[in-house]
Amino acid sequence: MLEGFNKERMIEEAEALVESMKGDGIFTKLESYNTWLLGLVRNEKMLKARAVLQEMIDTGISPSIYSYNILMDGFCKEGMVSDAKLMMELMKSNGISPDAVTYSTLLHGYCQKGKIIEPNNILHEMTRIGSFPSTYRCNILLQSLWKEGKILEAENLLQKMNERGYSLHTVTYNIVIDGLCKSGKLDKAIEILDGMWNCCSW
């Protein structure tokens, strides 16, 4: 019922159900809290979601990495990237190591805000721990780098994608060519395009 209320954006009914379950002493499982957190985030109730996370901690229910990732995703979608970063720090302080989803969510959030230095730092950290964002996330970062004129950084990211055997999609090609052409580097665009054809299988 809680999940259904959340999906239908019936947030008042969902909250009444949660309070009823708490009164009956049956709202005690991590899964129930995660469902409630997801519903609050979907309905853009970030302050309430943060309060619920704190309630979990206070009542002895340890949030999982999924719990933290839910909130981080919500903060990033609301443009509250600093809050998402603080959430990751809270996660670490509670003994939970960020995973690929955590880093990718934060990377996406910074790119959406037009920030470039932070995503590069996140990418280096992901590489250091043996993780790497999806092609979709890389494409977002690539587009942001080209937009900000960070040509060398974009080429380095593209090289890392090639080294890791990523299948470069048409979307990736279009981002690269568009970025170089807008930067007045048509010769470089042709050179990279030729390199893509040589190194990638179709």
Side-chain angles (χ1 to χ4, degrees):
M1 285 182 64
L2 181 58
E3 189 172 349
F5 283 145
N6 289 337
K7 286 182 178 178
E8 295 299 319
R9 293 188 173 273
M10 299 169 66
I11 196 68
E12 292 181 2
E13 291 81 355
E15 187 163 10
L17 177 59
V18 168
E19 293 305 317
S20 176
M21 292 172 70
K22 287 179 180 178
D24 293 336
I26 58 175
F27 197 79
T28 58
K29 293 184 178 180
L30 174 62
E31 292 78 7
S32 299
Y33 271 100
N34 282 342
T35 300
W36 184 216
L37 283 173
L38 189 58
L40 289 168
V41 168
R42 283 176 174 170
N43 287 277
E44 301 173 358
K45 302 290 185 180
M46 295 310 303
L47 292 179
K48 177 68 175 176
R50 182 163 21 197
V52 169
L53 185 77
Q54 187 60 50
E55 176 186 314
M56 292 172 67
I57 296 171
D58 293 342
T59 55
I61 299 174
S62 299
S64 64
I65 192 166
Y66 179 56
S67 311
Y68 289 106
N69 284 343
I70 289 171
L71 266 80
M72 287 187 62
D73 183 58
F75 282 130
C76 286
K77 285 179 178 176
E78 292 294 310
M80 304 165 68
V81 188
S82 296
D83 292 88
K85 184 68 164 58
L86 289 174
M87 189 58 57
M88 187 171 77
E89 296 306 317
L90 177 62
M91 177 197 306
K92 290 179 180 179
S93 69
N94 287 330
I96 298 179
S97 299
D99 62 6
V101 173
T102 311
Y103 283 116
S104 293
T105 298
L106 198 57
L107 186 151
H108 191 175
Y110 277 123
C111 287
Q112 293 293 89
K113 295 284 286 185
K115 297 181 182 291
I116 299 302
I117 296 176
E118 292 87 349
N120 268 320
N121 292 338
I122 293 169
L123 189 61
H124 289 316
E125 177 66 13
M126 292 182 74
T127 303
R128 187 185 66 79
I129 66 172
S131 183
F132 206 71
S134 65
T135 301
Y136 170 73
R137 302 288 191 189
C138 285
N139 283 343
I140 292 171
L141 180 53
L142 272 175
Q143 195 162 30
S144 296
L145 289 169
W146 291 122
K147 184 178 179 180
E148 296 297 320
K150 304 290 185 180
I151 298 171
L152 182 59
E153 290 88 342
E155 290 177 2
N156 287 338
L157 174 56
L158 188 63
Q159 182 61 36
K160 288 179 182 177
M161 292 172 70
N162 282 330
E163 290 171 356
R164 290 175 176 271
Y166 277 48
S167 297
L168 302 181
H169 302 159
T170 303
V171 173
T172 311
Y173 295 148
N174 288 339
I175 290 170
V176 173
I177 300 306
D178 182 64
L180 284 171
C181 289
K182 286 180 177 177
S183 300
K185 297 183 177 293
L186 185 58
D187 291 342
K188 187 65 177 178
I190 295 172
E191 178 186 334
I192 288 181
L193 183 59
D194 288 341
M196 287 177 176
W197 279 99
N198 291 332
C199 73
C200 301
S201 58
W202 291 82

